[in-house]
Amino acid sequence: MNSKVLATLEFNKIRQQLAEHAASALGREQAENLMPSLSFEEVVRFQEETDEAAQVLRLKGHAPLGGIHNIRPHVKRAQIGGVLNGTEFVQIASTIHAGRMMKNFIMDLNEEEDIYPILSEKEAAIPVLTALEHQIKHTVDEHGGVLDSASSALRHIRQQLRANESRIRGKLESLIRGRNAQKMLSDAIITIRNDRYVIPVKQEYRSHYGGIVHDSSSTGQTLFIEPESVVQMNNQVRELKISEQQEIDRIFAELSVEVEAHGHELYVLVGVLSDLDFMFTKAKYGKTIKATKPAVNDNGFIRLNQGRHPLLSIEEAVPSDIELGKDYTSIVITGPNTGGKTVTLKTVGLTVLMAQAGLQIPALDGSETAVFQSVYADIGDEQSIEQSLSTFSSHMVNIVDILKKVDHESLVLFDELGAGTDPQEGAALAISILDEVHKRGARIIATTHYPELKAYGYNREGVINASVEFNVETLSPTYRLLVGVPGRSNAFEISKRLGLSASIIDQARQSVGTDTNEIDQMIASLEQSRKLAEEEEKEAKEYLKHAERLHEDMQKQMQDFYANEEALKEKARQQAAEIVEQAKAEAEQVIRELRTLRLEKGAEVKEHELIDAKRRLSEAAPEPKKAKKKPSVKAKQGLKPGDEVKVLSFDQKGQLLEKSGKDEWQVQIGIMKMKVKESDMEFVKSEKKPDPKPMASLRGRDFHVNLELDLRGERYEDALAKVEKYIDDALLAGYSRVSIIHGKGTGALRKGVQDYLKGHRSVKRSRFGEAGEGGSGVTVVELK
């Protein structure tokens, strides 16, 4: 990839931001040297690496990448016979430990859910060097100092050393606490000079202590003397320190040999950890800019869903929908300066470079980018004083160079094409250059403020106009890209808003050609229509979401009703039986009381009168009210599939599909099917042309069609065959909307399903699923 293009599109700034997320110098080095790949297979691999790391960050929030060091120079020095120092050993042990932690982390991930093939591959490549790690940690501490446990000889030497130093200090402390010490010493302290213990003696008393003078103060009044009484002991300490250093050198030499023996494994470890750090560096950066994994193709197709410039803050960047390479291969963005045209160019160019470098892009799910063999950009004012070139000449030098190399695998970005010279000549040159590049099959995005190029998109096949929206009320651009609408001059409106006299503006309008005025009016009308369409689309989506929620709520309520219907009936029967039994009990009690009256008091109450009273009491028991049924003449003659009926309990009309029981039918009410008793129906009318084999019965009574078709894991041809059959079955079942699950993957299956649905005569429209429906891994289909 041309380094000049990388600088023009500011890819170096992307690398700088990326490097800030590295956990080690190894990952930072890879980030700083990152280059877009020209291999389709390599780009796909890079994107999958970043996606796996991003999934882990979403699941775990982090990866254990601390403690990684670039130990390649240490290993190299050990391999050529050098002896490493304590700090180098600490870094080697730390890196081995980091590798072990990362290996365990990935193994734990795979135990939970085995969906990380690339990370599993990296984990398998991490060598286990636990023995070397423990040997180093047994030898040196975390600061690189040698431990007493490094060898028994070193422990013995240090024990002797500490004992001698303790005797020296004891002897010197007795001197500084002596009777005349306060008078003869500058200070009652023990210090060290030339690795030997000394005391500060006043110059006039040097002969009192004897021994060796090692140093003096700046004034010469104080001498740092090693008293004669400790000279021999200091000599012994010196000899022990030499022995200590010799033993340390021997230990480090042996340990360096161990490092050299594991040199190849350590190189492999560093390489794998470097790759892992870089994978997670890319994922962290993507999370920071709210990026997503794009689908990648090699046919020059770009689709950015709400794409943003990655170097602008999320709050400042205005997202745009950009598509290039399918219905049209060239976009000509017209309109005044400072409208955001250059930002759009850089957004597309930088997004393509990021995707080819394995980075996720700042756009919504479902976005797609192509792998181009070359990206060319002529952007900005490149006036060269040193070369005595004007802006126009400088641009032409770039364009001439581009025309020498451009082909059908190129993306070309022209900013203000033809600017810097006579408008008519510049416009003519711009058209000729665009024709030449378009003829070679390259993908082109060009910006210009020449009105002559507004007609270019209408006169060329594969070319479309676009503009950046401008708000005349606020006198500022909105930076929203409007594809299909050419830009128009806002000079008159801006001048009017700024207070220029209306008479001057009217005179200026008359000076402008009629064709120009008509074109501007047409563009203004297109802009207004587009805004209205966008508002209506947004409103329609809100209504659709509301309707879908209502539909789901109604289905749930109906399911709950049918699930509890029998239980409610049984409860009502039990309550009714209890009421009847209670009434009978009261009646029996009344009769017993009457009999008692007759026997005891001789009341004239006859037995048949008692029986009659009991019968009347039984008839007085409450009975449930039955729903009034409207007479149905048709019911007497017999219902048949296709008849239109009214379901009384729902007060809705429906069509009979098939009989599902003795007195029960399956009824289609709108998009729902339900079982309804004949007693709950009212006949409306017969089907005009009765079909002896109704649609539903063609498939058999037990036929059932799911509302979802899962194609994941299917081969391309088998999947499309299943889609064709499934759409037919769904139409026969009377469904108005179904879902097809194809997953995200490489995007080939998703694209095939989308293309097939676009050409199907019974498909009203299709769309990707919402966030709660599966996102771009699901296509929702509405049937006619």
Side-chain angles (χ1 to χ4, degrees):
M1 196 67 70
N2 191 325
S3 59
K4 185 177 180 181
V5 169
L6 299 181
T8 300
L9 295 175
E10 300 179 291
F11 187 71
N12 59 320
K13 292 184 179 179
I14 296 292
R15 291 190 290 209
Q16 291 171 7
Q17 292 183 357
L18 178 65
E20 294 173 1
H21 297 275
S24 70
L26 296 167
R28 190 176 304 109
E29 181 182 4
Q30 286 206 45
E32 291 172 348
N33 297 324
L34 180 64
M35 290 290 288
S37 172
L38 305 181
S39 166
F40 175 76
E41 291 75 16
E42 202 170 46
V43 171
V44 171
R45 167 80 177 189
F46 290 163
Q47 286 292 341
E48 289 174 350
E49 286 181 356
T50 309
D51 187 53
E52 278 196 21
Q55 290 182 49
V56 172
L57 290 182
R58 285 194 295 270
L59 179 67
K60 296 293 185 180
H62 77 290
L65 289 164
I68 300 173
H69 300 275
N70 184 9
I71 60 173
R72 292 190 184 103
H74 313 338
V75 178
K76 181 66 175 177
R77 199 150 64 83
Q79 287 178 330
I80 62 176
V83 177
L84 306 183
N85 59 42
T87 302
E88 291 169 332
F89 284 124
V90 169
Q91 291 181 355
I92 291 173
S94 176
T95 303
I96 295 173
H97 178 76
R100 184 158 54 85
M101 293 298 99
M102 196 66 199
K103 190 179 185 74
N104 294 336
F105 178 75
I106 298 173
M107 291 172 67
D108 291 342
L109 279 177
N110 287 330
E111 285 182 5
E112 295 175 13
E113 195 169 0
D114 190 10
I115 56 172
Y116 307 105
I118 296 175
L119 286 174
S120 299
E121 178 185 316
K122 299 289 184 187
E123 176 270 319
I126 295 176
V128 179
L129 300 172
T130 310
L132 179 59
E133 178 193 351
H134 288 169
Q135 188 175 355
I136 293 174
K137 290 184 176 180
H138 183 73
T139 303
V140 297
D141 60 24
E142 59 184 5
H143 303 294
V146 183
L147 298 170
D148 292 355
S149 59
S151 74
S152 58
L154 181 63
R155 183 185 299 108
H156 179 68
I157 291 170
R158 286 182 171 175
Q159 286 173 350
Q160 288 184 310
L161 188 59
R162 284 190 286 269
N164 279 10
E165 288 177 340
S166 178
R167 286 198 297 272
I168 292 172
R169 283 185 170 277
K171 182 65 176 176
L172 293 178
E173 283 176 0
S174 68
L175 292 176
I176 64 176
R177 288 197 301 268
R179 187 174 56 184
N180 298 320
Q182 188 174 2
K183 179 177 69 172
M184 292 184 288
L185 298 179
S186 297
D187 199 356
I189 62 170
I190 301 170
T191 185
I192 295 175
R193 289 293 186 275
N194 300 325
D195 289 333
R196 300 177 78 89
Y197 289 95
V198 297
I199 56 176
V201 180
K202 293 178 181 179
Q203 198 274 342
E204 58 268 28
Y205 297 108
R206 60 174 298 179
S207 60
H208 178 77
Y209 290 98
I212 304 168
V213 176
H214 287 279
D215 198 3
S216 65
S217 65
S218 58
T219 62
Q221 296 299 312
T222 300
L223 300 177
F224 293 95
I225 296 176
E226 178 186 1
E228 189 174 355
S229 59
V230 298
V231 169
Q232 185 59 34
M233 286 188 285
N234 264 332
N235 288 340
Q236 291 175 355
V237 168
R238 182 65 179 162
E239 290 173 4
L240 287 171
K241 285 189 175 181
I242 292 172
S243 299
E244 178 190 33
Q245 187 58 49
Q246 290 174 344
E247 180 64 14
I248 289 173
D249 291 343
R250 185 193 67 78
I251 292 169
F252 279 1
E254 288 184 357
L255 200 53
S256 297
V257 171
E258 286 295 318
V259 171
E260 186 273 334
H262 294 88
H264 174 71
E265 294 165 294
L266 289 170
Y267 277 131
V268 172
L269 174 63
V270 172
V272 175
L273 291 180
S274 175
D275 291 343
L276 286 169
D277 186 12
F278 185 55
M279 282 176 61
F280 283 96
T281 297
K282 293 187 292 181
K284 291 173 191 174
Y285 176 64
K287 184 178 180 182
T288 301
I289 63 173
K290 295 187 177 179
T292 61
K293 176 190 175 186
V296 181
N297 65 75
D298 56 358
N299 56 18
F301 175 60
I302 300 173
R303 179 178 60 230
L304 301 182
N305 296 333
Q306 296 293 286
R308 293 175 280 106
H309 193 292
L311 295 177
L312 296 177
S313 68
I314 297 173
E315 295 75 19
E316 293 177 2
V318 177
S320 294
D321 292 327
I322 304 170
E323 187 169 312
L324 178 68
K326 185 173 287 185
D327 297 332
Y328 42 86
T329 58
S330 299
I331 299 176
V332 178
I333 306 175
T334 55
N337 292 329
T338 69
K341 301 192 298 296
T342 303
V343 172
T344 301
L345 281 186
K346 288 189 174 182
T347 298
V348 175
L350 204 47
T351 297
V352 168
L353 295 180
M354 289 174 65
Q356 290 187 217
L359 301 176
Q360 295 185 340
I361 62 174
L364 298 184
D365 275 330
S367 297
E368 189 168 351
T369 61
V371 176
F372 293 99
Q373 294 304 303
S374 52
V375 176
Y376 301 106
D378 180 55
I379 298 175
D381 184 2
E382 299 187 10
Q383 184 173 357
S384 174
I385 297 175
E386 294 83 359
Q387 300 177 16
S388 300
L389 295 175
S390 66
T391 301
F392 175 76
S393 300
S394 180
H395 280 294
M396 288 313 300
V397 168
N398 287 338
I399 291 170
V400 168
D401 187 55
I402 291 172
L403 292 175
K404 290 177 182 177
K405 304 171 184 175
V406 70
D407 59 17
H408 67 285
E409 294 183 312
S410 302
L411 171 65
V412 185
L413 308 172
F414 289 124
D415 188 28
E416 296 298 347
L417 187 59
T421 187
D422 177 76
Q424 289 185 337
E425 293 180 356
L429 269 174
I431 290 172
S432 297
I433 292 168
L434 286 175
D435 281 341
E436 177 63 23
V437 179
H438 180 67
K439 182 175 67 177
R440 298 191 193 181
R443 304 301 187 258
I444 310 166
I445 303 180
T447 70
T448 179
H449 59 268
Y450 289 140
E452 288 84 354
L453 267 75
K454 294 177 183 178
Y456 184 82
Y458 296 110
N459 299 333
R460 305 294 195 282
E461 185 178 354
V463 182
I464 193 168
N465 280 319
S467 61
V468 180
E469 189 178 53
F470 188 89
N471 190 330
V472 180
E473 297 297 322
T474 61
L475 303 181
S476 62
T478 66
Y479 300 105
R480 291 181 64 245
L481 185 68
L482 306 177
V483 178
V485 180
R488 66 189 180 99
S489 173
N490 296 292
F492 294 150
E493 287 81 356
I494 293 173
S495 300
K496 183 178 180 181
R497 293 280 300 174
L498 293 175
L500 188 63
S501 171
S503 61
I504 297 175
I505 294 174
D506 291 339
Q507 184 177 352
R509 289 186 188 277
Q510 293 172 7
S511 300
V512 177
T514 305
D515 292 342
T516 303
N517 279 326
E518 289 178 353
I519 290 174
D520 281 347
Q521 290 174 6
M522 177 193 73
I523 294 172
S525 176
L526 283 172
E527 290 179 354
Q528 186 177 1
S529 299
R530 183 187 181 95
K531 287 181 182 177
L532 182 61
E534 288 177 350
E535 291 173 0
E536 290 178 347
E537 180 185 13
K538 184 178 180 181
E539 187 177 353
K541 285 181 179 178
E542 291 297 323
Y543 279 125
L544 178 61
K545 288 180 181 178
H546 181 65
E548 287 175 348
R549 285 196 296 269
L550 288 177
H551 174 65
E552 290 173 0
D553 290 344
M554 186 174 72
Q555 279 189 322
K556 186 177 184 303
Q557 290 176 11
M558 290 183 65
Q559 290 171 357
D560 293 343
F561 170 77
Y562 283 119
N564 299 325
E565 182 182 18
E566 288 301 323
L568 291 172
K569 287 182 179 179
E570 180 62 28
K571 184 177 180 181
R573 282 192 289 267
Q574 290 177 358
Q575 290 177 346
E578 289 173 0
I579 293 171
V580 170
E581 289 299 324
Q582 185 178 356
K584 287 182 178 179
E586 290 178 358
E588 291 291 345
Q589 180 64 28
V590 170
I591 291 172
R592 280 196 296 272
E593 290 175 357
L594 290 173
R595 284 176 175 163
T596 301
L597 288 173
R598 186 185 67 175
L599 292 174
E600 293 180 355
K601 298 184 178 181
E604 294 296 325
V605 181
K606 300 187 184 293
E607 187 67 25
H608 71 276
E609 291 175 340
L610 293 174
I611 294 171
D612 185 58
K614 183 177 181 180
R615 179 182 59 77
R616 284 187 282 110
L617 285 171
S618 297
E619 290 176 353
E623 291 184 3
K625 295 182 179 179
K626 295 183 179 179
K628 296 180 179 180
K629 292 189 288 184
K630 295 184 179 180
S632 174
V633 177
K634 190 67 180 179
K636 297 178 181 178
Q637 299 174 356
L639 299 168
K640 64 177 183 292
D643 286 351
E644 186 176 347
V645 297
K646 182 177 181 181
V647 180
L648 301 176
S649 57
F650 290 99
D651 195 25
Q652 294 287 331
K653 290 184 180 179
Q655 189 176 35
L656 297 180
L657 297 178
E658 60 178 353
K659 201 163 186 178
S660 57
K662 183 178 180 182
D663 297 317
E664 189 177 63
W665 286 79
Q666 190 176 41
V667 182
Q668 179 83 42
I669 303 177
I671 63 171
M672 295 180 294
K673 294 179 182 178
M674 61 180 67
K675 293 180 180 180
V676 183
K677 298 284 187 182
E678 286 186 355
S679 58
D680 194 24
M681 297 181 200
E682 178 184 348
F683 172 73
V684 178
K685 62 180 178 180
S686 295
E687 191 180 26
K688 291 183 179 179
K689 294 181 180 180
D691 187 354
K693 294 182 179 180
M695 191 175 294
S697 63
L698 288 176
R699 307 304 301 232
R701 179 172 296 179
D702 298 328
F703 177 74
H704 175 69
V705 182
N706 286 326
L707 288 171
E708 294 180 343
L709 173 63
D710 193 344
L711 300 176
R712 288 175 293 185
E714 295 286 342
R715 293 177 62 251
Y716 184 89
E717 293 80 10
D718 297 339
L720 291 185
K722 286 191 174 184
V723 171
E724 181 179 4
K725 181 178 181 299
Y726 178 71
I727 294 297
D728 293 339
D729 291 343
L731 289 167
L732 289 174
Y735 293 163
S736 64
R737 189 177 73 169
V738 294
S739 298
I740 299 175
I741 305 172
H742 41 62
K744 297 179 182 179
T746 62
L749 180 56
R750 173 175 58 193
K751 181 177 180 298
V753 170
Q754 290 278 333
D755 291 343
Y756 172 79
L757 294 173
K758 286 179 182 176
H760 200 290
R761 63 181 182 278
S762 298
V763 174
K764 184 187 298 183
R765 66 176 62 89
S766 64
R767 62 173 174 82
F768 287 124
E770 300 289 344
E773 299 173 322
S776 59
V778 175
T779 294
V780 179
V781 186
E782 294 184 26
L783 303 174
K784 295 180 181 177

